[in-house]
């Protein structure tokens, strides 16, 4: 099937929707994404046999109203990119409980050569179709311990739609995201040492920043964490599908996404109509554990569902073009954490192993029972390794203990 065939499929979906036949339209859409959904199909089928649709809808409403995740807020700010896109960020400043400044000042003078240095700032960059709240557990644990910045990538979360994309119709590039991160740093952390933390696309953003602004890395960055990410060759990822299936997806998906993105309003109605199917797919490609808290799973669904289809389409080409292996050299002399879930189907752990291979002094952590959203699936482990990185980078005293990140394991029956 060619890319033009993919566009024809998408046009058929939109045409059916315009005619009022969303049941037929979603059936056509199901054919278009059937290969992608193959890995999740069995789980979805079992769920449909055991749980009625009305019950699933009620459960989603209950989880949305009761779920405590994603509610942390900090001091808001706006950074403006070179094309004028407004990027939303929040700062969690150090609280009085962060420790006795008199005890910490001598260490800071030795490390940074000033009497009253700016605090270390940890900047968190989120992944594709997520937002800053994806770091909920790590943010909760580090509050009052270290200064943090959380931001939404262009066209995600509370940030504005990318001006280059909406005005000029151009796709996003990873290089552009690196420049966006520089704009956030300039606005939210214009001075002082930095620790850069990125998940998936956020890790690629960190690499692009280093590629474009090596002086910034050399002068200010004291530590880096790359979680579930890749330095390139993403076009080879098979998403857990057989080779014939993934080849079909690669041929048809760009055209489907582009065509659907041009009919965003209609497609969003269709996404709501197929919420049950997509919930199964999201869970399949986000988590590997069987006992993930349903509220956390629903939290992840909400973040992904909130990303408009035209934004999904704008970003997709960037991943095949991404190649930042050479940029990793800028992190060679820094404390680096490379962490991934062994069962990650989106950015497989082999990609993290390749990153660590280019950074032989990095700490490589592979989490056996974890998928792509490892920081939500195993928050305790991710936060512990991140806290250790912060200690090695001099961002917090070695004896600092972080807590309060909770658990995603279900404590209910069966």
């Amino acid at each position: 099937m060619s890319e033009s065939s993919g566009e024809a499929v998408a046009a058929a979906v939109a045409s059916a929707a315009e005619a009022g036949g969303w049941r037929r339209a979603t059936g056509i859409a199901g054919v278009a994404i059937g290969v992608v959904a193959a890995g999740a199909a069995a789980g979805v089928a079992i769920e449909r046999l055991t749980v009625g649709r009305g019950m699933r809808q009620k459960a989603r409403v209950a989880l949305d109203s009761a779920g405590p995740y994603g509610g942390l807020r900090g001091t808001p700010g706006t950074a403006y990119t070179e094309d004028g896109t407004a990027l939303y960020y929040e700062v969690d400043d150090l609280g009085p409980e962060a420790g006795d400044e008199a005890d910490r000042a001598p260490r800071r003078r030795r490390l940074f050569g000033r009497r009253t240095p700016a605090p270390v700032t940890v900047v968190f960059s989120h992944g594709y179709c997520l937002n800053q709240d994806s770091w909920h557990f790590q943010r909760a644990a580090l509050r009052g311990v270290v200064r943090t910045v959380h931001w939404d990538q262009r066209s995600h979360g509370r940030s504005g739609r990318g001006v280059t994309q909406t005005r000029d119709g151009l796709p996003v590039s990873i290089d552009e995201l690196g420049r966006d991160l520089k704009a956030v740093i300039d606005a939210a952390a214009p001075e002082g040492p930095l620790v850069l933390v990125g998940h998936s696309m956020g890790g690629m953003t960190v690499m692009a920043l280093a590629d474009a602004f090596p002086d910034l890395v050399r002068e200010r960055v004291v530590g880096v964490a790359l979680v579930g990410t890749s330095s390139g060759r993403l076009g080879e990822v098979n998403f857990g599908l057989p080779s014939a299936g993934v080849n079909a997806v690669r041929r048809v998906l760009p055209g489907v996404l582009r065509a659907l993105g041009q009919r965003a309003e209609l497609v969003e109605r269709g996404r709501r109509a197929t919420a049950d199917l997509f919930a199964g797919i999201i869970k399949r490609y986000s988590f590997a554990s069987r006992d993930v808290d349903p509220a956390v799973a629903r939290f992840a669904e909400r973040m992904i569902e909130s990303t408009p289809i035209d934004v999904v389409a704008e970003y997709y080409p960037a991943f095949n073009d991404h190649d930042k292996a050479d940029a990793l050299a800028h992190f060679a002399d820094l404390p680096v954490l490379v962490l991934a879930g062994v069962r990650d189907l989106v950015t497989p752990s082999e990609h993290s192993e390749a990153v660590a291979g280019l950074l032989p002094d990095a700490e490589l952590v592979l989490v056996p029972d974890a998928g792509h959203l490892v920081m939500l699936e195993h928050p305790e482990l991710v936060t512990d390794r991140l806290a250790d990185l912060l200690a090695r980078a001099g961002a917090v005293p070695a004896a600092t203990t972080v807590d309060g990140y909770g658990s995603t394991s279900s404590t209910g029956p069966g």
Side-chain angles (χ1 to χ4, degrees):
M1 186 181 293
S2 66
E3 186 171 307
S4 60
S5 300
E7 293 177 351
V9 171
V13 174
S15 175
E18 289 168 343
W22 263 116
R23 183 176 299 277
R24 177 169 172 262
T26 54
I28 297 171
V31 172
I33 65 170
V35 176
V36 179
V44 174
I46 292 171
E47 182 188 10
R48 288 181 180 277
L49 289 172
T50 57
V51 183
R53 182 175 181 181
M55 187 176 296
R56 290 196 299 273
Q57 290 174 334
K58 290 179 181 179
R60 283 198 293 271
V61 171
L63 290 171
D64 288 347
S65 63
Y69 308 120
L72 299 176
R73 300 272 65 93
T75 303
T78 304
Y80 291 93
T81 68
E82 56 189 24
D83 69 351
T85 301
L87 300 176
Y88 178 82
Y89 67 82
E90 294 179 356
V91 178
D92 288 352
D93 275 308
L94 281 166
E97 68 273 22
D100 184 358
E101 185 64 27
D103 292 340
R104 289 152 59 93
R107 165 193 277 272
R108 287 183 174 176
R109 280 200 297 271
R110 288 196 301 273
L111 283 173
F112 307 117
R114 329 184 179 179
R115 183 170 184 79
T116 56
V120 176
T121 299
V122 185
V123 183
F124 287 85
S125 298
H126 68 78
Y128 182 43
C129 298
L130 301 173
N131 60 51
Q132 63 176 269
D133 293 338
S134 62
W135 295 107
H136 173 88
F137 293 104
Q138 293 70 42
R139 184 175 189 172
L142 294 176
R143 281 194 146 182
V145 175
V146 66
R147 186 176 190 266
T148 61
V149 171
H150 301 261
W151 68 293
D152 294 329
Q153 304 246 25
R154 63 172 54 218
S155 302
H156 287 70
R158 293 174 173 82
S159 285
R161 295 297 297 269
V163 171
T164 300
Q165 288 71 51
T166 56
R167 181 191 63 201
D168 305 326
L170 297 177
V172 178
S173 71
I174 300 298
D175 288 335
E176 187 174 38
L177 302 184
R179 296 191 293 272
D180 288 356
L181 176 54
K182 175 63 160 55
V184 171
I185 290 171
D186 288 345
E191 60 176 351
L194 301 167
V195 174
L196 305 176
V197 182
H199 167 249
S200 192
M201 182 179 75
M204 302 173 205
T205 300
V206 169
M207 297 175 204
L209 174 80
D211 195 30
F213 304 101
D215 290 345
L216 172 69
V217 174
R218 183 174 59 255
E219 295 168 5
R220 295 187 56 195
V221 175
V222 297
V224 177
L226 302 171
V227 179
T229 190
S230 172
S231 60
R233 304 183 71 174
L234 286 166
E236 300 174 7
V237 175
N238 64 15
F239 304 106
L241 302 172
S243 58
V246 76
N247 289 337
V249 169
R250 287 173 183 152
R251 287 194 300 271
V252 73
L253 193 56
V256 169
L257 286 176
R258 183 163 58 249
L260 293 180
Q262 293 168 356
R263 298 169 172 84
E265 183 177 348
L266 292 170
V267 174
E268 292 306 328
R269 286 160 48 194
R271 287 174 78 181
R272 291 192 291 273
T274 56
D276 292 338
L277 172 63
F278 280 102
I281 297 172
I282 290 169
K283 188 172 182 181
R284 158 74 168 165
Y285 285 97
S286 297
F287 306 107
S289 308
R290 290 183 174 272
D291 62 344
V292 174
D293 185 337
V296 171
R298 178 58 191 154
F299 171 47
E301 285 175 33
R302 289 204 313 271
M303 284 190 285
I304 295 170
E305 289 169 356
S306 69
T307 307
I309 189 64
D310 47 340
V311 174
V312 176
E314 288 166 3
Y315 270 80
Y316 182 78
F319 302 112
N320 277 345
D321 296 338
H322 170 60
D323 182 1
K324 286 289 178 284
D326 291 344
L328 294 171
H330 298 298
F331 303 142
D333 297 326
L334 298 173
V336 177
L337 168 66
V338 180
L339 187 147
V342 170
R343 296 169 63 188
D344 188 338
L345 299 177
V346 180
T347 50
S349 58
E350 290 82 2
H351 286 241
S352 289
E353 292 182 84
V355 168
L358 295 171
L359 295 169
D361 293 331
E363 178 188 17
L364 174 63
V365 178
L366 300 179
V367 187
D369 193 23
H372 190 57
L373 299 188
V374 60
M375 68 285 192
L376 293 175
E377 188 170 14
H378 295 286
E380 301 93 340
L381 187 151
V382 174
T383 303
D384 284 345
R385 300 326 305 152
L386 185 57
D388 182 70
L389 172 72
L390 296 179
R392 288 188 287 127
V396 298
T400 299
T401 299
V402 295
D403 203 352
Y405 39 76
S407 173
T408 64
S409 296
S410 174
T411 56

